[in-house]
Amino acid sequence: QVQLVQSGADVKKPGASVKVSCTASGYTFTGYYMHWVRQTPGQGLEWMAWINPNGGGTKYAQKFQGRITVTRDTSITTAYMELSGLRSDDTAVYFCAREGDSGGTDWYAFDIWGQGTMLTVSS
Amino acid sequence: QSALTQPPSASGSPGQSVTISCTGTSSDVGVYNHVSWYQQHPGKAPKLMIYEVSKRPSGVPDRFSGSKSGNTVSLTVSGLQAEDEADYYCCSYVGTTPYVFGTGTTVTVL
């Protein structure tokens, strides 16, 4: 079945970097954009970035420009999100999510989500 | 780009209907029909319920419907069931940003 499996929870100190992975299965990895969305404790959802696995093109939210890098490895159908200069307010659950598409028509919506990766930033 | 505005909470009895609003501006919801809705149960990942304002993905019950008027989109859940109790978020494509989520609404089934 179509699924996204993310790496496990992590704890980092302020100023460090984290790299979260998202492994896709059950569909053609290069056929769908992959997005990263985070959810801070008790708060709502926040869009962070997307990557086009077919070519590697990326787009980042202005808020994270300079701190975020999204990459992919098509040989293992995995996308990565690296966030640097971590602060306590980066403590959140990070999700990868596939952008839906049907017959080449973009849904502009996220139809498959990973299980989430809890990141705790604490000294 | 500010978050879209949703009411913090909504409720209804089993079998009733509940409607959640999501208000944006003429720069996002008002100009794009690329609005989606997500259901999130505690500790779980969001689930896509509606895309392109009113389209349902395969497997989503037709009790869930979406609409748009001006700068406001709405999600209606008809025939409320216990399992509909969850947080709901709207999301709009806004071009350059390019996506912004709503503030979220907690639906309680009384």
Side-chain angles (χ1 to χ4, degrees):
Chain A
Q1 73 281 21
V2 176
Q3 64 176 352
L4 302 174
V5 178
Q6 299 181 221
S7 48
D10 208 342
V11 179
K12 296 292 185 183
K13 293 190 182 302
S17 297
V18 68
K19 191 170 186 177
V20 180
S21 68
C22 171
T23 300
S25 61
Y27 72 96
T28 302
F29 179 66
T30 52
Y32 298 78
Y33 279 45
M34 190 73 78
H35 295 253
W36 290 89
V37 175
R38 78 177 186 180
Q39 185 167 34
T40 49
Q43 300 300 311
L45 300 165
E46 181 175 32
W47 182 85
M48 301 178 71
W50 61 244
I51 184 167
N52 179 359
N54 184 16
T58 56
K59 173 77 171 180
Y60 302 132
Q62 187 172 8
K63 174 178 180 177
F64 301 103
Q65 288 275 4
R67 288 208 301 142
I68 188 171
T69 304
V70 174
T71 56
R72 93 288 187 227
D73 184 336
T74 57
S75 68
I76 55 172
T77 65
T78 298
Y80 302 92
M81 188 283 297
E82 184 168 20
L83 192 62
S84 62
L86 290 172
R87 307 184 290 253
S88 58
D89 60 2
D90 290 319
T91 294
V93 177
Y94 290 78
F95 294 99
C96 59
R98 189 185 80 165
E99 184 169 326
D101 180 287
S102 55
T105 300
D106 196 340
W107 286 11
Y108 294 92
F110 316 122
D111 66 340
I112 305 295
W113 292 67
Q115 83 276 20
T117 296
M118 178 70 216
L119 170 67
T120 301
V121 182
S122 175
S123 56
Chain B
Q1 181 69 47
S2 300
L4 306 176
T5 301
Q6 298 181 232
S9 62
S11 62
S13 299
Q16 290 186 331
S17 294
V18 64
T19 296
I20 305 164
S21 62
C22 168
T23 302
T25 69
S26 57
S27 298
D28 41 61
V29 172
V31 70
Y32 294 102
N33 285 326
H34 306 314
V35 179
S36 50
W37 286 92
Y38 301 87
Q39 176 191 67
Q40 187 179 33
H41 289 108
K44 300 294 187 181
K47 175 186 176 184
L48 178 65
M49 306 303 285
I50 295 286
Y51 68 100
E52 296 291 88
V53 175
S54 60
K55 297 179 180 178
R56 276 188 310 277
S58 174
V60 173
D62 59 7
R63 303 185 293 104
F64 292 85
S65 61
S67 62
K68 175 180 169 180
S69 177
N71 297 337
T72 299
V73 289
S74 299
L75 174 72
T76 297
V77 185
S78 305
L80 265 176
Q81 299 181 4
E83 60 261 35
D84 298 333
E85 186 162 293
D87 292 331
Y88 291 83
Y89 294 92
C90 60
C91 179
S92 177
Y93 174 78
V94 295
T96 56
T97 298
Y99 290 91
V100 62
F101 283 91
T103 50
T105 299
T106 298
V107 169
T108 301
V109 181
L110 301 171

